[in-house]
Each structure stands twice: as structure tokens, then as C-alpha cells.
Amino acid sequence: MPELPEVETTRRHLEPVLVGRVIEEAIVSHPRTARRNASAEELVTRLRGRRVEALRRHGKFLVGDLDEGWTLIAHLGMSGRFSFGSPEEEPPVHTHVLLHLDDGTVVRFTDPRTFGFVAVFDEDEMASSPLGRLGPDAWSDAFDASVLAESLAGRTAPIKALLLDQGPVAGLGNIYADEVLHRAKVHPLTPGRDIPMDRLEAMVTATREVLAEAIEAGGTTLDDLAYLLPDGRAGENLDRLRVYGRTGEPCVVCGTPIERIVVRARSTHFCPDCQH
DNA sequence: AACGATCCCTGTTGGC
DNA sequence: TGCCAACAGGGATCGT
């Protein structure tokens, strides 16, 4: 499923295609994908004629700066994916948004499970957008141990849940949260407020390492969930995962079998020996 | 305010 | 072999 590395990989592929282009026409064929706007028709109206000035990312959100003060927000959800091609090509099944650009390229948003969305907000709406509740981006210098310590102070929820919350840090999902906790040797059920400073520092370092590896590999494509890069290739990070999806396999550090528990209705993988 | 449960959605999987 | 329930999960929402 798309997390920060998959969204960043998507951003890097889309940036040269979108930035500087004008969206001449937009087609939105699934109302749920447009649910952050008043209607699919409103989203189409807001997209039409807009020039894309920049493509950024915060956490798992893609952020497109449009002209005249508009902002494009897209989230891949569980199964969302962007691709691009020519108008003559048949779009993939479950393609819900088409952006016809002024150079003839068509950008497509495809999302079988419709957990993702595409939206356009004005400046006032941006103030109350989903971005407002996000903590510092996990792949930025704004995320460090002192910031993390501040946001975890007094928090009794398990650290795994707090990492998924996007408040203390934005961009980690179920796969990379497990990977970070394993590398930092922190048990996923540890209450946030009980993690000592040296473990918080280890978590920040582990986050940078895990994300750097995953971005370099083009993200993680699981066997059963087909996240694909915009050019159709699979991400190559799966073999680098040390705990996620490895229940029962020996820990690469100590050999103890990896355990699986459920935290906040999310599968959670950890080494009971390394992570106390 | 913080936390936990529930819901949305559909392709894939596992059990019978 | 075929059918169907269970499962997967990011984020919003709601109750406590």
C-alpha cells in the first residue's frame, strides 16, 4: 500500500509530466474519488484551465500548486495509482480521473478500492484541509528527536498507533512503521510517553534509513497488492523489509521468530527479543 | 483531549 | 473444482 516512499516515487515520476502544463480538460467518472469536493462536477470545473506550477508532497499527500491560488490534493489511499499516456490508449480498469494536458499527455488516477481521492481547494478551504492535521514530514529535517519527544509527551497509546496517526510524524504507514520500530529496537506496544530519548533518536535515524532505502528502490510492491510506479514497473523494496509480512521467519538480527499481533486493527510485526 | 472502535471498498485468499 | 466468508488497510467519524 502506498506510504511515503511510494508517494514520493509517484511524485518524482509525475513532476516532469505535470509541472508547467495546463489541464485543458478533466474527466471524473467516480463520485467517491471526488468526495472531498462538493461534487465531481465541481472538481472538473476547478481543474479545467489550471496551470500546474509545482508538485510537492507532505506525508502521504500529493500537493499540486495550481495557478490563481488553487491547490490540488491527492491521496492514493490503499490502491490508488497515477499513470500517464496518450489519449488513444485504453486507461486501466478502475480509472476514475483523467487529466488532459496541453501537450497531449493524459494523466490518469486509478483506484480499485476508492480509499484515495483527488480534490482541488481554494486558499480558505486549505486551512481546514486534511493537511492541517499532519505532523512534520518523516522525510524532512523538521522531524527530529526533540520534536518527536514533544508530541509523544503524556501519550499513553502504543507507539505503533501513534506512528500511524500522522500527528507525531507524517508519512509512515503499516509497513514502514513496523520496520522503523524493529530497527530502533522499540516494542510496538510501548506507550508513547515511556520511550526514552535514546530510543527516540534511534527511531528518527531508523526512519531516515528505512525511507531512504525504500525510495531508492522505488517503493514496496507486495505480492497481493499491486502498487505500481507510474511507468507500470513494480517497486523493488519488498526484499529489504525485515519484519513486515515475515511472521515466523527468523529475525535477521538475532534469529528469533518474528511475531504478529494486532494493534488498532492493523497487523503488527516485531521481534520479541530485539524489541522490548 | 486522547483513545479505541467502526466504517468504507474490492481484489485476493483460504477453508470447506 | 467452486463457492463464499474473511482479510487487507488509511483516514474519517463517533462514542466514551
Side-chain angles (χ1 to χ4, degrees):
Chain A
M1 39 248 86
E3 304 180 26
L4 191 154
E6 291 75 30
V7 179
E8 176 61 18
T9 301
T10 298
R11 192 196 68 77
R12 292 181 183 185
H13 280 80
L14 282 182
E15 185 175 43
V17 173
L18 271 174
V19 173
R21 299 271 65 81
V22 172
I23 300 166
E24 292 193 328
E25 191 54 79
I27 298 170
V28 179
S29 52
H30 199 311
R32 185 169 149 82
T33 298
R35 65 190 180 280
R36 295 281 166 187
N37 281 122
S39 66
E41 291 72 25
E42 182 190 76
L43 175 58
V44 167
T45 301
R46 290 181 171 198
L47 284 166
R48 188 185 294 132
R50 296 281 63 75
R51 178 184 169 90
V52 182
E53 295 177 339
L55 187 62
R56 302 180 284 118
R57 181 194 53 73
H58 192 144
K60 305 174 200 173
F61 290 80
L62 279 170
V63 183
D65 295 323
L66 309 179
D67 61 358
E68 298 185 6
W70 296 96
T71 304
L72 171 69
I73 303 288
H75 197 291
L76 301 180
M78 263 202 70
S79 60
R81 139 171 120 85
F82 278 97
S83 62
F84 49 87
S86 74
E88 290 74 31
E89 290 176 60
E90 183 72 17
V93 291
H94 303 300
T95 293
H96 307 318
V97 177
L98 295 174
L99 304 178
H100 289 263
L101 307 183
D102 59 347
D103 65 351
T105 305
V106 178
V107 172
R108 323 171 186 110
F109 179 71
T110 305
D111 186 14
R113 295 182 195 179
T114 68
F115 278 47
F117 67 86
V118 175
V120 174
F121 297 131
D122 65 23
E123 293 173 33
D124 289 340
E125 291 164 342
M126 278 302 291
S128 56
S129 79
L131 294 180
R133 288 180 286 278
L134 296 181
D137 186 84
W139 185 240
S140 76
D141 293 337
F143 175 57
D144 62 29
S146 64
V147 167
L148 184 58
E150 196 173 333
S151 59
L152 296 184
R155 304 295 294 269
T156 59
I159 185 60
K160 172 66 185 288
L162 293 169
L163 289 180
L164 295 180
D165 182 66
Q166 309 302 304
V169 57
L172 298 181
N174 208 36
I175 296 174
Y176 299 114
D178 281 2
E179 296 300 313
V180 165
L181 291 175
H182 179 256
R183 294 203 195 195
K185 300 187 185 298
V186 174
H187 194 290
L189 292 179
T190 311
R193 65 181 182 187
D194 293 346
I195 302 175
M197 189 49 116
D198 73 316
R199 288 304 90 200
L200 296 180
E201 287 167 353
M203 285 173 60
V204 171
T205 301
T207 298
R208 299 215 166 104
E209 291 175 358
V210 165
L211 295 180
E213 284 185 17
I215 291 170
E216 196 269 334
T220 300
T221 295
L222 298 177
D223 292 336
D224 58 339
L225 271 175
Y227 156 79
L228 296 174
L229 279 62
D231 59 12
R233 290 185 305 143
E236 296 174 341
N237 195 60
L238 186 63
D239 292 342
R240 305 188 189 190
L241 301 182
R242 299 183 184 177
V243 286
Y244 183 87
R246 298 196 180 279
T247 308
E249 294 181 29
C251 171
V252 295
V253 175
C254 72
T256 304
I258 299 301
E259 287 187 11
R260 178 185 183 276
I261 58 175
V262 175
V263 181
R264 287 281 219 288
R266 297 290 175 263
S267 65
T268 297
H269 314 72
F270 69 103
C271 170
D273 195 55
C274 290
Q275 298 170 257
H276 285 298

